[in-house]
Amino acid sequence: MKWALSELNKFRGSQVDFLETIDLSASLKKREPSIIDISPIKVNGFLEVDEIGYYAHMTIETILTVPSSRSLEPVELPLNLLIDEEYMTPKQYDALKDVSDDEKSLIIILEKDLIDLTEAIEDFILLNLPLQVLTEEEKQSTELPKGDFWQVVSEDDIKVEQETEAASTIDPRLAKLSDFFKEDE
């Protein structure tokens, strides 16, 4: 998934379509050790070439195997990602006018005369790893794991416990004030 700029410039004013299957499992496992396995990645997209720069649009599909957040059991996660990247040479970037700094920050400046889309694919996969991964059984179960002297509790349970605790306890220094507004009987 690498193209030399001299090769791409032959397609100026048009686009280069591609449909490939690539294997990035070794490099992804090296960058993120929690990845157990990743199937070959199907990449479908195009590179548009014009005077301004190089625009890449692609969709990727793969199945990622990562450990469950609770039990560390392997879980297969299908990933379908849409990737849009804009590349420019330093000369093209310096020639930009009427472009805001926010838009400029999204542009990737090429350090070599080469566009390598595998780097973008790897980055997008790693950025889209979910924080919480559960097996089907864990998703269906309402019971959270617990042991002899510990248990996992949800944030909702903690909030309810804190609210009931706050409502039932009165600060001893302010206990006499609770009688202040009582009507005389």
Side-chain angles (χ1 to χ4, degrees):
M1 305 262 338
K2 296 179 184 180
W3 288 274
L5 296 185
S6 59
E7 177 88 18
L8 286 174
N9 287 334
K10 294 176 187 174
F11 298 97
R12 190 169 300 267
S14 63
Q15 67 185 30
V16 177
D17 296 323
F18 53 87
L19 174 61
E20 292 188 36
T21 302
I22 58 174
D23 184 11
L24 299 176
S25 62
S27 59
L28 281 168
K29 286 178 185 179
K30 185 177 182 180
R31 288 180 66 183
E32 179 54 55
S34 69
I35 295 175
I36 298 169
D37 194 23
I38 183 166
S39 68
I41 304 164
K42 296 175 188 157
V43 184
N44 184 11
F46 63 86
L47 255 167
E48 190 174 304
V49 183
D50 59 24
E51 304 81 35
I52 299 171
Y54 308 89
Y55 174 74
H57 173 82
M58 61 191 139
T59 56
I60 63 169
E61 293 179 26
T62 188
I63 297 175
L64 200 62
T65 306
V66 292
S68 163
S69 305
R70 289 188 190 159
S71 64
L72 299 180
E73 293 291 321
V75 179
E76 288 188 349
L77 293 173
L79 278 182
N80 294 313
L81 302 174
L82 178 66
I83 302 172
D84 290 313
E85 295 279 336
E86 190 167 358
Y87 299 91
M88 289 184 180
T89 62
K91 185 178 179 181
Q92 290 169 326
Y93 186 80
D94 292 339
L96 284 179
K97 294 179 180 161
D98 301 326
V99 178
S100 71
D101 289 338
D102 290 339
E103 291 175 303
K104 280 186 170 182
S105 68
L106 300 174
I107 298 169
I108 299 168
I109 301 171
L110 297 168
E111 296 172 4
K112 304 174 193 170
D113 289 342
L114 180 75
I115 293 179
D116 185 3
L117 294 181
T118 57
E119 295 172 2
I121 293 169
E122 281 185 19
D123 291 343
F124 268 80
I125 288 173
L126 293 174
L127 287 171
N128 284 283
L129 287 175
L131 295 176
Q132 184 180 47
V133 180
L134 301 174
T135 63
E136 288 302 318
E137 296 82 29
E138 291 168 341
K139 288 179 188 175
Q140 302 301 323
S141 174
T142 57
E143 189 173 316
L144 296 174
K146 60 183 174 180
D148 290 338
F149 300 103
W150 64 273
Q151 72 178 30
V152 176
V153 294
S154 68
E155 285 185 31
D156 294 335
D157 292 342
I158 291 172
K159 285 179 186 175
V160 168
E161 186 179 308
Q162 288 173 343
E163 288 170 1
T164 56
E165 203 174 277
S168 65
T169 58
I170 298 175
D171 188 342
R173 296 171 292 180
L174 302 174
K176 292 220 178 215
L177 288 176
S178 65
D179 295 335
F180 184 74
F181 291 107
K182 286 189 178 177
E183 292 182 28
D184 293 331
E185 293 179 13

